Amino acid sequence: MTRKFSRVLCLTAFVLCALPAERALALGFEVFGKGSASKSNISESEYVISTSGAAGLALILIPQLRLEGRITMVSQNRNYMSFNATDSSGGTVPLELTDIRTQRLSYSVNIDFDIVSDKYPVQPFLVAGAGYSVTDSIYKIGIMGANNAVDGADPTLTSLTGIAGGGIRI
């Protein structure tokens, strides 16, 4: 996961530094990026931290229509989760997961449509597109209270992604 994150970060930095905004707009391109972070407390000792970032390059087809290529990374870290599992004899085994980290990297091509036009200070827009995502998950798993956690990982998932949304540009 760290290597993928580094590649995305380097690519984003290159795109943002290589094309100054004035020159990009004159050529009919826009460079864009956004990010967010949040922490949700599940209980006094359990929490989830989520971060996301997106960067891309948009080709302005006409003033109200853009074709964009976007890379999005969403990362979620959860410190603890417990549950009961059934063993081979039918008994219940209390298990705990710790240091749960999931990262999804999405690559997409989208159409972005400005509903009004760029003549207004607030510009509502709609976006739709498609692409694919790669998701990795790692964690530690063990029997609750036994101090015997081992590293675990889910298989890497690759799937098609649909994009639909809207927002405002200021």
Side-chain angles (χ1 to χ4, degrees):
M1 282 197 288
T2 306
R3 192 175 296 160
K4 288 180 184 178
F5 176 75
S6 298
R7 280 187 259 162
V8 170
L9 192 59
C10 289
L11 178 63
T12 303
F14 173 77
V15 169
L16 293 176
C17 295
L19 212 62
E22 300 84 24
R23 186 171 179 202
L25 287 172
L27 295 172
F29 289 96
E30 281 183 10
V31 177
F32 63 91
K34 66 178 183 173
S36 68
S38 67
K39 180 177 179 180
S40 302
N41 293 313
I42 299 167
S43 68
E44 285 185 23
S45 61
E46 294 180 52
Y47 60 84
V48 175
I49 297 174
S50 299
T51 57
S52 69
L57 184 64
L59 171 64
I60 302 167
L61 302 173
I62 60 174
Q64 286 182 269
L65 191 64
R66 303 175 342 151
L67 178 66
E68 62 182 39
R70 180 183 299 195
I71 298 172
T72 305
M73 187 205 59
V74 178
S75 180
Q76 188 175 60
N77 299 322
R78 183 171 178 171
N79 69 328
Y80 182 83
M81 181 170 61
S82 63
F83 58 95
N84 290 321
T86 305
D87 65 14
S88 59
S89 64
T92 300
V93 179
L95 296 176
E96 61 186 359
L97 293 174
T98 57
D99 298 327
I100 308 156
R101 298 173 189 192
T102 303
Q103 179 176 299
R104 186 179 75 240
L105 199 53
S106 298
Y107 306 90
S108 63
V109 175
N110 308 312
I111 294 288
D112 181 315
F113 175 70
D114 283 332
I115 297 170
V116 288
S117 77
D118 59 358
K119 296 176 185 160
Y120 295 92
V122 176
Q123 303 166 14
F125 66 91
L126 299 173
V127 64
Y132 73 96
S133 293
V134 179
T135 304
D136 291 309
S137 294
I138 60 172
Y139 47 83
K140 295 186 183 298
I141 185 168
I143 297 173
M144 194 176 306
N147 203 15
N148 65 347
V150 295
D151 291 335
D154 290 342
T156 298
L157 300 174
T158 302
S159 60
L160 295 177
T161 302
I163 309 292
I168 59 169
R169 259 187 218 93
I170 300 176

